[in-house]
Amino acid sequence: MRVNRILLSSSLVVVALVIQVSVLARLHLPGAVPDLMLLTVLGLALVYGHVGGALVGFGAGLLADLAPPADHAAGRYALVLCLIGYLAGLVKPETGQLKSATGPMVVVVAAAIGSTLLYAGVGALVGDTAARHVGLGSLLFTAVLYDLLLAPFVVPWVMALARRAENDPLAEAGSAAKATDISSGWLSGGTGLKIGSQRNGLRVKAARARVARAGRIKGVKRL
């Protein structure tokens, strides 16, 4: 992974972990806890692909395993997020465009269900039967519900930051003229927010203005 990917991923994961432990875990919601770490890994995996998603997932999961007040075996959540990051990276859009929110929402639902089942399954192998006492059905339902409610406010912004870190600033205008930002599909289709599309519209207009200005300058030189 490149240095900019490592720095951005580390920063986002640390922020997500702090919010997860200090805020979300203390809400005492029924059933599962909203998994901000999972959503952060999903957002990065949808930009970096399956290899980057697996590496980010493993690092994020291992950090969560070691951070207090973790009460499970180290490596358990790292394995779960590594697999989820790898699988989510496989559905990364080839062109980097998301035309609707349906795809990412399906990914979030599948990841919430998969991570809950994997975590409970690995726990059963090491003798942790907490999921049986809480109820696996209740955990699955609340995990999907909470993650879906939180996803529109996390995943598109993580994807937008990752895309901006990936792009060359000198080529930003040209890339904006060719394709919309990877997060604009979710923002416009899933949440109703127009911030991403408005920003891309301004970039496209600026790129067109530069092209027109360059054409006028070339015309003057030829004369």
Side-chain angles (χ1 to χ4, degrees):
M1 296 180 69
R2 293 195 295 268
V3 176
N4 57 341
R5 288 189 177 188
I6 295 175
L7 293 177
L8 178 63
S9 301
S10 301
S11 302
L12 291 177
V13 166
V14 169
V15 171
L17 179 62
V18 172
I19 298 176
Q20 179 87 31
V21 173
S22 61
V23 178
L24 298 180
R26 298 186 179 184
L27 294 179
H28 301 294
L29 298 173
V33 176
D35 201 338
L36 186 59
M37 295 283 287
L38 173 66
L39 298 178
T40 302
V41 171
L42 289 180
L44 293 173
L46 288 174
V47 177
Y48 295 157
H50 59 284
V51 176
L55 292 175
V56 171
F58 179 80
L62 187 61
L63 184 62
D65 287 330
L66 299 177
D71 56 353
H72 54 267
R76 180 176 171 185
Y77 201 44
L79 174 62
V80 172
L81 286 187
C82 180
L83 293 175
I84 295 297
Y86 178 85
L87 295 175
L90 292 176
V91 299
K92 169 191 172 183
E94 293 295 334
T95 60
Q97 300 181 33
L98 292 177
K99 297 182 179 180
S100 69
T102 304
M105 290 175 67
V106 172
V107 172
V108 170
V109 172
I113 295 175
S115 62
T116 303
L117 291 177
L118 283 173
Y119 190 81
V122 175
L125 293 177
V126 297
D128 186 359
T129 59
R132 297 180 182 178
H133 301 291
V134 177
L136 187 58
S138 175
L139 283 177
L140 288 174
F141 175 77
T142 52
V144 171
L145 177 62
Y146 297 152
D147 290 347
L148 271 180
L149 292 176
L150 190 61
F153 305 99
V154 178
V155 177
W157 302 111
V158 171
M159 295 173 71
L161 288 174
R163 285 289 296 171
R164 177 168 294 184
E166 288 289 284
N167 291 336
D168 184 357
L170 297 178
E172 186 176 357
S175 62
K178 295 179 181 178
T180 57
D181 187 85
I182 194 170
S183 64
S184 62
W186 191 314
L187 291 173
S188 60
T191 64
L193 297 176
K194 302 297 182 180
I195 298 175
S197 58
Q198 289 178 355
R199 185 175 299 171
N200 289 322
L202 293 175
R203 290 178 179 174
V204 172
K205 291 180 180 179
R208 290 176 179 173
R210 292 191 186 98
V211 172
R213 192 183 310 115
R216 290 195 298 270
I217 293 174
K218 289 181 180 179
V220 172
K221 287 183 179 180
R222 289 176 182 175
L223 294 175

